[in-house]
Amino acid sequence: MPWHRQDASALAMELLPDSIPAVSVAAAAAALYARAASSLLRPGLPRLAALLPVLALLAAAPLAFASSAIVRGVAAFFLAWLGAFKVALLAAGRGPLDTALPVLPFLFTALLPVKLRRGGDGGSGAKSVSLVSCAVKVAIMAALVGLYRLNARLHLYARLALYSVHTYCFLDLLLPCVAAAAAALGMETEPQFDRPYLASSLRDFWGRRWNLMVPAILRPSVYDPVRARAGGAAGVLASFAVSGAMHEAMVCYLSLRWPPGGGMAAFFALHGACCVAEGWCARRWAARRPPRAVATVGVGLFVAGTSFWLFFPALLKDGVEERFLEEWAAVAAFFLDAGGKIPYVAVR
């Protein structure tokens, strides 16, 4: 892909469209309506019927960002997935949303990937954002954007490895910053990541280390109800199936194409089955577990291998890869241009 800094700078301006404040205001108004309606109606069908317009708005809101796949994807994750699931749980009287929450914490919880810690909850809250860690992740992403200019010369697996690192750095930079904003307003949140590269099992990776807002939402909405009726294994398989379906939906938001290809669904179905098998083996051969270092390497290789096989190929078609590369080049050019306009002050 040719590198045109001027074109990239122009494209960077599209990342801040006028629709961002409009969507933010509309989503906030919808969340406030959900809070008011839920305070008047008991959990059940009447409350669900009252909240259906909110669910429809959250599902449609990301489509307002037609010019940016990155912003559209982030909005889809925040609103169409997590936000919609939280509102659906609110209709059932479950989940993290509570009409007793003050307005600002309710808005943060409804519209952003944060989970507030309740007074009686155990464990430690989200760690403060380290400026050094943020700087390192920004530097890594900047270096990756530079390497993307060599994409035509890179082997497919090398490109996928770069995309894997980029995805982790982006999420582990974005989500803790959201939590830091909540903390600045006096809200204590639970962590979203816990060093996933140290996972010693697939269950450890998905349940306790990677993107923890997703299991925090799937647990009350899918896992607990299914487990109560069909057992823990069925709950795990159902949770991964729903996660796969929502990832397919995220791909559709990114590409603006329908129907999805099924790669994401297959990836999460495979990992769900492997988590069930892993749990069975751990119970049967508890005394024969491999050393932690060996298990960690095995988990990393399995996650990377299956991601290269099923997960990332879904993002390499329908023009999504090219659009992402253009937008990240635009972001880099935008900050380079902004940095060039900062007055230089000589130090004597």
Side-chain angles (χ1 to χ4, degrees), residues 27 30-35 38 47-48 50-56 58 78-79 81-97 106 109-111 217:
L32 292 176
Y33 162 77
R35 181 175 181 269
S38 298
R47 182 185 287 187
L48 176 61
L51 297 183
L52 285 178
V54 178
L55 295 173
L58 293 176
F78 286 11
L79 302 178
W81 184 352
L82 298 182
F85 270 57
K86 291 174 186 177
V87 171
L89 285 170
L90 176 63
R94 306 177 63 186
L97 293 180
F106 187 93
T109 304
L111 304 178
I217 290 299

PDB file of all heavy atoms in Angstrom, residues 27 30-35 38 47-48 50-56 58 78-79 81-97 106 109-111 217:
ATOM      1  N   ALA A  27     -26.896   8.353  22.764  1.00  0.00           N
ATOM      2  CA  ALA A  27     -26.713   7.170  23.612  1.00  0.00           C
ATOM      3  C   ALA A  27     -26.909   7.518  25.080  1.00  0.00           C
ATOM      4  O   ALA A  27     -27.514   6.736  25.839  1.00  0.00           O
ATOM      5  CB  ALA A  27     -25.320   6.577  23.380  1.00  0.00           C
ATOM      6  N   ALA A  30     -30.574   7.870  25.719  1.00  0.00           N
ATOM      7  CA  ALA A  30     -31.211   6.554  25.760  1.00  0.00           C
ATOM      8  C   ALA A  30     -30.937   5.855  27.085  1.00  0.00           C
ATOM      9  O   ALA A  30     -31.824   5.202  27.660  1.00  0.00           O
ATOM     10  CB  ALA A  30     -30.718   5.704  24.595  1.00  0.00           C
ATOM     11  N   ALA A  31     -29.705   5.977  27.595  1.00  0.00           N
ATOM     12  CA  ALA A  31     -29.373   5.347  28.878  1.00  0.00           C
ATOM     13  C   ALA A  31     -30.159   5.982  30.018  1.00  0.00           C
ATOM     14  O   ALA A  31     -30.638   5.282  30.926  1.00  0.00           O
ATOM     15  CB  ALA A  31     -27.871   5.470  29.135  1.00  0.00           C
ATOM     16  N   LEU A  32     -30.315   7.297  29.975  1.00  0.00           N
ATOM     17  CA  LEU A  32     -31.104   7.963  31.017  1.00  0.00           C
ATOM     18  C   LEU A  32     -32.569   7.546  30.945  1.00  0.00           C
ATOM     19  O   LEU A  32     -33.233   7.373  31.983  1.00  0.00           O
ATOM     20  CB  LEU A  32     -30.966   9.477  30.881  1.00  0.00           C
ATOM     21  CG  LEU A  32     -29.577  10.051  31.187  1.00  0.00           C
ATOM     22  CD1 LEU A  32     -29.546  11.546  30.921  1.00  0.00           C
ATOM     23  CD2 LEU A  32     -29.189   9.756  32.640  1.00  0.00           C
ATOM     24  N   TYR A  33     -33.082   7.402  29.733  1.00  0.00           N
ATOM     25  CA  TYR A  33     -34.458   6.898  29.588  1.00  0.00           C
ATOM     26  C   TYR A  33     -34.575   5.486  30.153  1.00  0.00           C
ATOM     27  O   TYR A  33     -35.559   5.160  30.836  1.00  0.00           O
ATOM     28  CB  TYR A  33     -34.856   6.912  28.110  1.00  0.00           C
ATOM     29  CG  TYR A  33     -36.055   6.040  27.813  1.00  0.00           C
ATOM     30  CD1 TYR A  33     -37.344   6.463  28.135  1.00  0.00           C
ATOM     31  CD2 TYR A  33     -35.893   4.781  27.242  1.00  0.00           C
ATOM     32  CE1 TYR A  33     -38.446   5.646  27.889  1.00  0.00           C
ATOM     33  CE2 TYR A  33     -36.975   3.961  26.987  1.00  0.00           C
ATOM     34  CZ  TYR A  33     -38.247   4.401  27.309  1.00  0.00           C
ATOM     35  OH  TYR A  33     -39.334   3.590  27.081  1.00  0.00           O
ATOM     36  N   ALA A  34     -33.573   4.629  29.880  1.00  0.00           N
ATOM     37  CA  ALA A  34     -33.599   3.266  30.409  1.00  0.00           C
ATOM     38  C   ALA A  34     -33.598   3.277  31.930  1.00  0.00           C
ATOM     39  O   ALA A  34     -34.314   2.482  32.571  1.00  0.00           O
ATOM     40  CB  ALA A  34     -32.396   2.479  29.881  1.00  0.00           C
ATOM     41  N   ARG A  35     -32.844   4.177  32.511  1.00  0.00           N
ATOM     42  CA  ARG A  35     -32.809   4.287  33.977  1.00  0.00           C
ATOM     43  C   ARG A  35     -34.157   4.726  34.529  1.00  0.00           C
ATOM     44  O   ARG A  35     -34.662   4.152  35.514  1.00  0.00           O
ATOM     45  CB  ARG A  35     -31.709   5.266  34.382  1.00  0.00           C
ATOM     46  CG  ARG A  35     -31.538   5.462  35.888  1.00  0.00           C
ATOM     47  CD  ARG A  35     -30.336   6.360  36.151  1.00  0.00           C
ATOM     48  NE  ARG A  35     -30.103   6.561  37.574  1.00  0.00           N
ATOM     49  CZ  ARG A  35     -30.615   7.556  38.273  1.00  0.00           C
ATOM     50  NH1 ARG A  35     -31.394   8.465  37.683  1.00  0.00           N
ATOM     51  NH2 ARG A  35     -30.350   7.675  39.576  1.00  0.00           N
ATOM     52  N   SER A  38     -36.839   1.942  33.951  1.00  0.00           N
ATOM     53  CA  SER A  38     -36.622   0.782  34.817  1.00  0.00           C
ATOM     54  C   SER A  38     -36.970   1.084  36.266  1.00  0.00           C
ATOM     55  O   SER A  38     -37.320   0.180  37.033  1.00  0.00           O
ATOM     56  CB  SER A  38     -35.168   0.321  34.716  1.00  0.00           C
ATOM     57  OG  SER A  38     -34.863  -0.083  33.397  1.00  0.00           O
ATOM     58  N   ARG A  47     -40.913  -4.175  31.378  1.00  0.00           N
ATOM     59  CA  ARG A  47     -39.675  -3.389  31.328  1.00  0.00           C
ATOM     60  C   ARG A  47     -38.928  -3.651  30.026  1.00  0.00           C
ATOM     61  O   ARG A  47     -38.379  -2.714  29.419  1.00  0.00           O
ATOM     62  CB  ARG A  47     -38.784  -3.714  32.528  1.00  0.00           C
ATOM     63  CG  ARG A  47     -37.509  -2.880  32.549  1.00  0.00           C
ATOM     64  CD  ARG A  47     -36.573  -3.290  33.670  1.00  0.00           C
ATOM     65  NE  ARG A  47     -37.041  -2.863  34.975  1.00  0.00           N
ATOM     66  CZ  ARG A  47     -36.306  -2.985  36.098  1.00  0.00           C
ATOM     67  NH1 ARG A  47     -35.095  -3.529  36.037  1.00  0.00           N
ATOM     68  NH2 ARG A  47     -36.799  -2.573  37.255  1.00  0.00           N
ATOM     69  N   LEU A  48     -38.880  -4.909  29.566  1.00  0.00           N
ATOM     70  CA  LEU A  48     -38.212  -5.225  28.311  1.00  0.00           C
ATOM     71  C   LEU A  48     -38.854  -4.482  27.149  1.00  0.00           C
ATOM     72  O   LEU A  48     -38.150  -3.934  26.286  1.00  0.00           O
ATOM     73  CB  LEU A  48     -38.251  -6.728  28.063  1.00  0.00           C
ATOM     74  CG  LEU A  48     -37.658  -7.209  26.731  1.00  0.00           C
ATOM     75  CD1 LEU A  48     -36.183  -6.844  26.641  1.00  0.00           C
ATOM     76  CD2 LEU A  48     -37.845  -8.713  26.564  1.00  0.00           C
ATOM     77  N   ALA A  50     -40.406  -1.688  27.248  1.00  0.00           N
ATOM     78  CA  ALA A  50     -40.066  -0.268  27.354  1.00  0.00           C
ATOM     79  C   ALA A  50     -38.631   0.008  26.919  1.00  0.00           C
ATOM     80  O   ALA A  50     -38.330   1.118  26.454  1.00  0.00           O
ATOM     81  CB  ALA A  50     -40.282   0.205  28.791  1.00  0.00           C
ATOM     82  N   LEU A  51     -37.757  -0.993  27.053  1.00  0.00           N
ATOM     83  CA  LEU A  51     -36.346  -0.793  26.727  1.00  0.00           C
ATOM     84  C   LEU A  51     -35.994  -1.206  25.303  1.00  0.00           C
ATOM     85  O   LEU A  51     -34.848  -1.012  24.881  1.00  0.00           O
ATOM     86  CB  LEU A  51     -35.470  -1.569  27.711  1.00  0.00           C
ATOM     87  CG  LEU A  51     -35.572  -1.147  29.181  1.00  0.00           C
ATOM     88  CD1 LEU A  51     -34.589  -1.940  30.029  1.00  0.00           C
ATOM     89  CD2 LEU A  51     -35.319   0.347  29.340  1.00  0.00           C
ATOM     90  N   LEU A  52     -36.941  -1.755  24.563  1.00  0.00           N
ATOM     91  CA  LEU A  52     -36.645  -2.154  23.184  1.00  0.00           C
ATOM     92  C   LEU A  52     -36.137  -0.999  22.324  1.00  0.00           C
ATOM     93  O   LEU A  52     -35.211  -1.200  21.521  1.00  0.00           O
ATOM     94  CB  LEU A  52     -37.887  -2.798  22.554  1.00  0.00           C
ATOM     95  CG  LEU A  52     -38.212  -4.221  23.014  1.00  0.00           C
ATOM     96  CD1 LEU A  52     -39.491  -4.713  22.343  1.00  0.00           C
ATOM     97  CD2 LEU A  52     -37.050  -5.172  22.708  1.00  0.00           C
ATOM     98  N   PRO A  53     -36.701   0.221  22.422  1.00  0.00           N
ATOM     99  CA  PRO A  53     -36.131   1.321  21.625  1.00  0.00           C
ATOM    100  C   PRO A  53     -34.672   1.610  21.965  1.00  0.00           C
ATOM    101  O   PRO A  53     -33.892   1.993  21.091  1.00  0.00           O
ATOM    102  CB  PRO A  53     -37.037   2.506  21.982  1.00  0.00           C
ATOM    103  CG  PRO A  53     -38.318   1.888  22.447  1.00  0.00           C
ATOM    104  CD  PRO A  53     -37.926   0.629  23.131  1.00  0.00           C
ATOM    105  N   VAL A  54     -34.310   1.439  23.225  1.00  0.00           N
ATOM    106  CA  VAL A  54     -32.916   1.647  23.621  1.00  0.00           C
ATOM    107  C   VAL A  54     -32.020   0.602  22.963  1.00  0.00           C
ATOM    108  O   VAL A  54     -30.942   0.923  22.442  1.00  0.00           O
ATOM    109  CB  VAL A  54     -32.779   1.586  25.154  1.00  0.00           C
ATOM    110  CG1 VAL A  54     -31.315   1.758  25.567  1.00  0.00           C
ATOM    111  CG2 VAL A  54     -33.640   2.649  25.808  1.00  0.00           C
ATOM    112  N   LEU A  55     -32.450  -0.645  22.968  1.00  0.00           N
ATOM    113  CA  LEU A  55     -31.674  -1.706  22.323  1.00  0.00           C
ATOM    114  C   LEU A  55     -31.512  -1.431  20.832  1.00  0.00           C
ATOM    115  O   LEU A  55     -30.425  -1.642  20.265  1.00  0.00           O
ATOM    116  CB  LEU A  55     -32.356  -3.055  22.545  1.00  0.00           C
ATOM    117  CG  LEU A  55     -32.413  -3.549  23.995  1.00  0.00           C
ATOM    118  CD1 LEU A  55     -33.265  -4.813  24.087  1.00  0.00           C
ATOM    119  CD2 LEU A  55     -31.017  -3.814  24.527  1.00  0.00           C
ATOM    120  N   ALA A  56     -32.583  -0.959  20.189  1.00  0.00           N
ATOM    121  CA  ALA A  56     -32.497  -0.656  18.759  1.00  0.00           C
ATOM    122  C   ALA A  56     -31.528   0.487  18.492  1.00  0.00           C
ATOM    123  O   ALA A  56     -30.732   0.441  17.535  1.00  0.00           O
ATOM    124  CB  ALA A  56     -33.893  -0.317  18.229  1.00  0.00           C
ATOM    125  N   LEU A  58     -28.927   1.414  20.366  1.00  0.00           N
ATOM    126  CA  LEU A  58     -27.552   0.966  20.608  1.00  0.00           C
ATOM    127  C   LEU A  58     -27.034   0.115  19.453  1.00  0.00           C
ATOM    128  O   LEU A  58     -25.848   0.186  19.099  1.00  0.00           O
ATOM    129  CB  LEU A  58     -27.488   0.183  21.914  1.00  0.00           C
ATOM    130  CG  LEU A  58     -27.757   0.976  23.193  1.00  0.00           C
ATOM    131  CD1 LEU A  58     -27.758   0.051  24.400  1.00  0.00           C
ATOM    132  CD2 LEU A  58     -26.739   2.088  23.384  1.00  0.00           C
ATOM    133  N   PHE A  78     -18.596  -1.163  22.287  1.00  0.00           N
ATOM    134  CA  PHE A  78     -19.089  -0.479  23.474  1.00  0.00           C
ATOM    135  C   PHE A  78     -20.614  -0.507  23.559  1.00  0.00           C
ATOM    136  O   PHE A  78     -21.171  -0.770  24.638  1.00  0.00           O
ATOM    137  CB  PHE A  78     -18.626   0.972  23.474  1.00  0.00           C
ATOM    138  CG  PHE A  78     -17.175   1.166  23.803  1.00  0.00           C
ATOM    139  CD1 PHE A  78     -16.288   0.101  23.854  1.00  0.00           C
ATOM    140  CD2 PHE A  78     -16.669   2.431  24.051  1.00  0.00           C
ATOM    141  CE1 PHE A  78     -14.944   0.282  24.148  1.00  0.00           C
ATOM    142  CE2 PHE A  78     -15.334   2.631  24.355  1.00  0.00           C
ATOM    143  CZ  PHE A  78     -14.468   1.560  24.403  1.00  0.00           C
ATOM    144  N   LEU A  79     -21.286  -0.202  22.442  1.00  0.00           N
ATOM    145  CA  LEU A  79     -22.734   0.033  22.473  1.00  0.00           C
ATOM    146  C   LEU A  79     -23.541  -1.177  22.018  1.00  0.00           C
ATOM    147  O   LEU A  79     -24.425  -1.651  22.743  1.00  0.00           O
ATOM    148  CB  LEU A  79     -23.077   1.244  21.602  1.00  0.00           C
ATOM    149  CG  LEU A  79     -22.394   2.567  21.979  1.00  0.00           C
ATOM    150  CD1 LEU A  79     -22.782   3.667  21.003  1.00  0.00           C
ATOM    151  CD2 LEU A  79     -22.725   2.970  23.406  1.00  0.00           C
ATOM    152  N   TRP A  81     -22.724  -4.271  21.510  1.00  0.00           N
ATOM    153  CA  TRP A  81     -22.503  -5.530  22.223  1.00  0.00           C
ATOM    154  C   TRP A  81     -22.665  -5.337  23.728  1.00  0.00           C
ATOM    155  O   TRP A  81     -23.684  -5.700  24.314  1.00  0.00           O
ATOM    156  CB  TRP A  81     -21.123  -6.085  21.900  1.00  0.00           C
ATOM    157  CG  TRP A  81     -20.875  -7.443  22.526  1.00  0.00           C
ATOM    158  CD1 TRP A  81     -21.678  -8.097  23.422  1.00  0.00           C
ATOM    159  CD2 TRP A  81     -19.757  -8.305  22.298  1.00  0.00           C
ATOM    160  NE1 TRP A  81     -21.132  -9.303  23.776  1.00  0.00           N
ATOM    161  CE2 TRP A  81     -19.963  -9.463  23.102  1.00  0.00           C
ATOM    162  CE3 TRP A  81     -18.625  -8.227  21.508  1.00  0.00           C
ATOM    163  CZ2 TRP A  81     -19.047 -10.515  23.125  1.00  0.00           C
ATOM    164  CZ3 TRP A  81     -17.726  -9.281  21.535  1.00  0.00           C
ATOM    165  CH2 TRP A  81     -17.925 -10.406  22.317  1.00  0.00           C
ATOM    166  N   LEU A  82     -21.668  -4.726  24.377  1.00  0.00           N
ATOM    167  CA  LEU A  82     -21.711  -4.628  25.830  1.00  0.00           C
ATOM    168  C   LEU A  82     -22.893  -3.813  26.318  1.00  0.00           C
ATOM    169  O   LEU A  82     -23.601  -4.216  27.254  1.00  0.00           O
ATOM    170  CB  LEU A  82     -20.397  -4.025  26.343  1.00  0.00           C
ATOM    171  CG  LEU A  82     -19.114  -4.818  26.069  1.00  0.00           C
ATOM    172  CD1 LEU A  82     -17.918  -4.119  26.674  1.00  0.00           C
ATOM    173  CD2 LEU A  82     -19.229  -6.232  26.612  1.00  0.00           C
ATOM    174  N   GLY A  83     -23.122  -2.651  25.694  1.00  0.00           N
ATOM    175  CA  GLY A  83     -24.226  -1.797  26.132  1.00  0.00           C
ATOM    176  C   GLY A  83     -25.570  -2.473  25.979  1.00  0.00           C
ATOM    177  O   GLY A  83     -26.420  -2.420  26.884  1.00  0.00           O
ATOM    178  N   ALA A  84     -25.796  -3.120  24.837  1.00  0.00           N
ATOM    179  CA  ALA A  84     -27.080  -3.785  24.609  1.00  0.00           C
ATOM    180  C   ALA A  84     -27.282  -4.943  25.587  1.00  0.00           C
ATOM    181  O   ALA A  84     -28.392  -5.145  26.104  1.00  0.00           O
ATOM    182  CB  ALA A  84     -27.159  -4.284  23.169  1.00  0.00           C
ATOM    183  N   PHE A  85     -26.234  -5.699  25.865  1.00  0.00           N
ATOM    184  CA  PHE A  85     -26.354  -6.803  26.818  1.00  0.00           C
ATOM    185  C   PHE A  85     -26.651  -6.276  28.222  1.00  0.00           C
ATOM    186  O   PHE A  85     -27.441  -6.867  28.972  1.00  0.00           O
ATOM    187  CB  PHE A  85     -25.073  -7.628  26.823  1.00  0.00           C
ATOM    188  CG  PHE A  85     -25.073  -8.752  25.826  1.00  0.00           C
ATOM    189  CD1 PHE A  85     -25.265  -8.504  24.473  1.00  0.00           C
ATOM    190  CD2 PHE A  85     -24.897 -10.060  26.218  1.00  0.00           C
ATOM    191  CE1 PHE A  85     -25.274  -9.522  23.542  1.00  0.00           C
ATOM    192  CE2 PHE A  85     -24.899 -11.105  25.307  1.00  0.00           C
ATOM    193  CZ  PHE A  85     -25.093 -10.837  23.956  1.00  0.00           C
ATOM    194  N   LYS A  86     -26.027  -5.160  28.601  1.00  0.00           N
ATOM    195  CA  LYS A  86     -26.288  -4.590  29.920  1.00  0.00           C
ATOM    196  C   LYS A  86     -27.738  -4.125  30.042  1.00  0.00           C
ATOM    197  O   LYS A  86     -28.382  -4.328  31.084  1.00  0.00           O
ATOM    198  CB  LYS A  86     -25.336  -3.413  30.179  1.00  0.00           C
ATOM    199  CG  LYS A  86     -23.888  -3.810  30.350  1.00  0.00           C
ATOM    200  CD  LYS A  86     -23.007  -2.571  30.448  1.00  0.00           C
ATOM    201  CE  LYS A  86     -21.527  -2.930  30.467  1.00  0.00           C
ATOM    202  NZ  LYS A  86     -20.656  -1.743  30.487  1.00  0.00           N
ATOM    203  N   VAL A  87     -28.256  -3.505  28.983  1.00  0.00           N
ATOM    204  CA  VAL A  87     -29.648  -3.054  29.011  1.00  0.00           C
ATOM    205  C   VAL A  87     -30.601  -4.245  29.043  1.00  0.00           C
ATOM    206  O   VAL A  87     -31.618  -4.232  29.751  1.00  0.00           O
ATOM    207  CB  VAL A  87     -29.935  -2.138  27.808  1.00  0.00           C
ATOM    208  CG1 VAL A  87     -31.429  -1.828  27.696  1.00  0.00           C
ATOM    209  CG2 VAL A  87     -29.143  -0.832  27.938  1.00  0.00           C
ATOM    210  N   ALA A  88     -30.287  -5.305  28.283  1.00  0.00           N
ATOM    211  CA  ALA A  88     -31.127  -6.506  28.312  1.00  0.00           C
ATOM    212  C   ALA A  88     -31.125  -7.136  29.704  1.00  0.00           C
ATOM    213  O   ALA A  88     -32.168  -7.601  30.196  1.00  0.00           O
ATOM    214  CB  ALA A  88     -30.642  -7.504  27.267  1.00  0.00           C
ATOM    215  N   LEU A  89     -29.956  -7.149  30.350  1.00  0.00           N
ATOM    216  CA  LEU A  89     -29.900  -7.661  31.724  1.00  0.00           C
ATOM    217  C   LEU A  89     -30.681  -6.761  32.675  1.00  0.00           C
ATOM    218  O   LEU A  89     -31.326  -7.251  33.618  1.00  0.00           O
ATOM    219  CB  LEU A  89     -28.440  -7.765  32.181  1.00  0.00           C
ATOM    220  CG  LEU A  89     -27.634  -8.923  31.603  1.00  0.00           C
ATOM    221  CD1 LEU A  89     -26.152  -8.757  31.933  1.00  0.00           C
ATOM    222  CD2 LEU A  89     -28.140 -10.252  32.144  1.00  0.00           C
ATOM    223  N   LEU A  90     -30.630  -5.474  32.448  1.00  0.00           N
ATOM    224  CA  LEU A  90     -31.415  -4.548  33.266  1.00  0.00           C
ATOM    225  C   LEU A  90     -32.903  -4.858  33.150  1.00  0.00           C
ATOM    226  O   LEU A  90     -33.651  -4.776  34.148  1.00  0.00           O
ATOM    227  CB  LEU A  90     -31.134  -3.104  32.842  1.00  0.00           C
ATOM    228  CG  LEU A  90     -31.941  -2.013  33.539  1.00  0.00           C
ATOM    229  CD1 LEU A  90     -31.630  -1.982  35.034  1.00  0.00           C
ATOM    230  CD2 LEU A  90     -31.641  -0.650  32.905  1.00  0.00           C
ATOM    231  N   ALA A  91     -33.353  -5.212  31.959  1.00  0.00           N
ATOM    232  CA  ALA A  91     -34.765  -5.567  31.775  1.00  0.00           C
ATOM    233  C   ALA A  91     -35.145  -6.778  32.617  1.00  0.00           C
ATOM    234  O   ALA A  91     -36.298  -6.901  33.053  1.00  0.00           O
ATOM    235  CB  ALA A  91     -35.044  -5.850  30.302  1.00  0.00           C
ATOM    236  N   ALA A  92     -34.172  -7.655  32.865  1.00  0.00           N
ATOM    237  CA  ALA A  92     -34.428  -8.844  33.685  1.00  0.00           C
ATOM    238  C   ALA A  92     -34.107  -8.613  35.153  1.00  0.00           C
ATOM    239  O   ALA A  92     -34.239  -9.540  35.965  1.00  0.00           O
ATOM    240  CB  ALA A  92     -33.617 -10.021  33.162  1.00  0.00           C
ATOM    241  N   GLY A  93     -33.669  -7.409  35.493  1.00  0.00           N
ATOM    242  CA  GLY A  93     -33.317  -7.119  36.874  1.00  0.00           C
ATOM    243  C   GLY A  93     -31.992  -7.703  37.296  1.00  0.00           C
ATOM    244  O   GLY A  93     -31.768  -7.972  38.481  1.00  0.00           O
ATOM    245  N   ARG A  94     -31.086  -7.901  36.334  1.00  0.00           N
ATOM    246  CA  ARG A  94     -29.793  -8.505  36.622  1.00  0.00           C
ATOM    247  C   ARG A  94     -28.698  -7.630  36.009  1.00  0.00           C
ATOM    248  O   ARG A  94     -28.968  -6.623  35.375  1.00  0.00           O
ATOM    249  CB  ARG A  94     -29.723  -9.921  36.060  1.00  0.00           C
ATOM    250  CG  ARG A  94     -30.858 -10.831  36.511  1.00  0.00           C
ATOM    251  CD  ARG A  94     -30.768 -12.193  35.859  1.00  0.00           C
ATOM    252  NE  ARG A  94     -29.548 -12.894  36.253  1.00  0.00           N
ATOM    253  CZ  ARG A  94     -29.178 -14.057  35.730  1.00  0.00           C
ATOM    254  NH1 ARG A  94     -29.902 -14.629  34.774  1.00  0.00           N
ATOM    255  NH2 ARG A  94     -28.069 -14.650  36.141  1.00  0.00           N
ATOM    256  N   GLY A  95     -27.448  -8.064  36.206  1.00  0.00           N
ATOM    257  CA  GLY A  95     -26.342  -7.385  35.558  1.00  0.00           C
ATOM    258  C   GLY A  95     -25.827  -6.192  36.327  1.00  0.00           C
ATOM    259  O   GLY A  95     -26.262  -5.895  37.443  1.00  0.00           O
ATOM    260  N   PRO A  96     -24.905  -5.451  35.712  1.00  0.00           N
ATOM    261  CA  PRO A  96     -24.222  -4.362  36.415  1.00  0.00           C
ATOM    262  C   PRO A  96     -25.044  -3.094  36.556  1.00  0.00           C
ATOM    263  O   PRO A  96     -24.720  -2.254  37.403  1.00  0.00           O
ATOM    264  CB  PRO A  96     -22.986  -4.107  35.551  1.00  0.00           C
ATOM    265  CG  PRO A  96     -23.413  -4.509  34.177  1.00  0.00           C
ATOM    266  CD  PRO A  96     -24.346  -5.678  34.367  1.00  0.00           C
ATOM    267  N   LEU A  97     -26.076  -2.915  35.735  1.00  0.00           N
ATOM    268  CA  LEU A  97     -26.875  -1.691  35.810  1.00  0.00           C
ATOM    269  C   LEU A  97     -27.898  -1.797  36.931  1.00  0.00           C
ATOM    270  O   LEU A  97     -28.540  -2.828  37.112  1.00  0.00           O
ATOM    271  CB  LEU A  97     -27.582  -1.422  34.480  1.00  0.00           C
ATOM    272  CG  LEU A  97     -26.682  -1.085  33.303  1.00  0.00           C
ATOM    273  CD1 LEU A  97     -27.510  -0.847  32.042  1.00  0.00           C
ATOM    274  CD2 LEU A  97     -25.836   0.161  33.599  1.00  0.00           C
ATOM    275  N   PHE A 106     -24.157   5.439  36.402  1.00  0.00           N
ATOM    276  CA  PHE A 106     -25.049   4.661  35.543  1.00  0.00           C
ATOM    277  C   PHE A 106     -24.676   4.849  34.078  1.00  0.00           C
ATOM    278  O   PHE A 106     -24.614   3.873  33.311  1.00  0.00           O
ATOM    279  CB  PHE A 106     -26.499   5.087  35.774  1.00  0.00           C
ATOM    280  CG  PHE A 106     -27.507   4.227  35.067  1.00  0.00           C
ATOM    281  CD1 PHE A 106     -28.095   3.139  35.709  1.00  0.00           C
ATOM    282  CD2 PHE A 106     -27.886   4.486  33.754  1.00  0.00           C
ATOM    283  CE1 PHE A 106     -29.020   2.335  35.055  1.00  0.00           C
ATOM    284  CE2 PHE A 106     -28.798   3.692  33.095  1.00  0.00           C
ATOM    285  CZ  PHE A 106     -29.365   2.618  33.750  1.00  0.00           C
ATOM    286  N   THR A 109     -21.374   3.040  33.319  1.00  0.00           N
ATOM    287  CA  THR A 109     -21.541   1.593  33.290  1.00  0.00           C
ATOM    288  C   THR A 109     -22.311   1.143  32.055  1.00  0.00           C
ATOM    289  O   THR A 109     -22.007   0.103  31.463  1.00  0.00           O
ATOM    290  CB  THR A 109     -22.277   1.122  34.557  1.00  0.00           C
ATOM    291  OG1 THR A 109     -21.552   1.569  35.701  1.00  0.00           O
ATOM    292  CG2 THR A 109     -22.395  -0.393  34.600  1.00  0.00           C
ATOM    293  N   ALA A 110     -23.313   1.926  31.650  1.00  0.00           N
ATOM    294  CA  ALA A 110     -24.160   1.529  30.524  1.00  0.00           C
ATOM    295  C   ALA A 110     -23.444   1.663  29.189  1.00  0.00           C
ATOM    296  O   ALA A 110     -23.619   0.819  28.309  1.00  0.00           O
ATOM    297  CB  ALA A 110     -25.442   2.361  30.524  1.00  0.00           C
ATOM    298  N   LEU A 111     -22.638   2.704  29.018  1.00  0.00           N
ATOM    299  CA  LEU A 111     -22.132   3.056  27.694  1.00  0.00           C
ATOM    300  C   LEU A 111     -20.650   2.768  27.492  1.00  0.00           C
ATOM    301  O   LEU A 111     -20.169   2.861  26.355  1.00  0.00           O
ATOM    302  CB  LEU A 111     -22.396   4.544  27.416  1.00  0.00           C
ATOM    303  CG  LEU A 111     -23.857   4.984  27.533  1.00  0.00           C
ATOM    304  CD1 LEU A 111     -23.973   6.479  27.280  1.00  0.00           C
ATOM    305  CD2 LEU A 111     -24.742   4.198  26.577  1.00  0.00           C
ATOM    306  N   ILE A 217     -20.022  -9.921  31.346  1.00  0.00           N
ATOM    307  CA  ILE A 217     -21.365  -9.765  30.793  1.00  0.00           C
ATOM    308  C   ILE A 217     -21.964 -11.110  30.408  1.00  0.00           C
ATOM    309  O   ILE A 217     -23.156 -11.375  30.622  1.00  0.00           O
ATOM    310  CB  ILE A 217     -21.324  -8.828  29.570  1.00  0.00           C
ATOM    311  CG1 ILE A 217     -21.044  -7.394  30.030  1.00  0.00           C
ATOM    312  CG2 ILE A 217     -22.632  -8.875  28.790  1.00  0.00           C
ATOM    313  CD1 ILE A 217     -22.101  -6.825  30.958  1.00  0.00           C
TER     314      ILE A 217
END
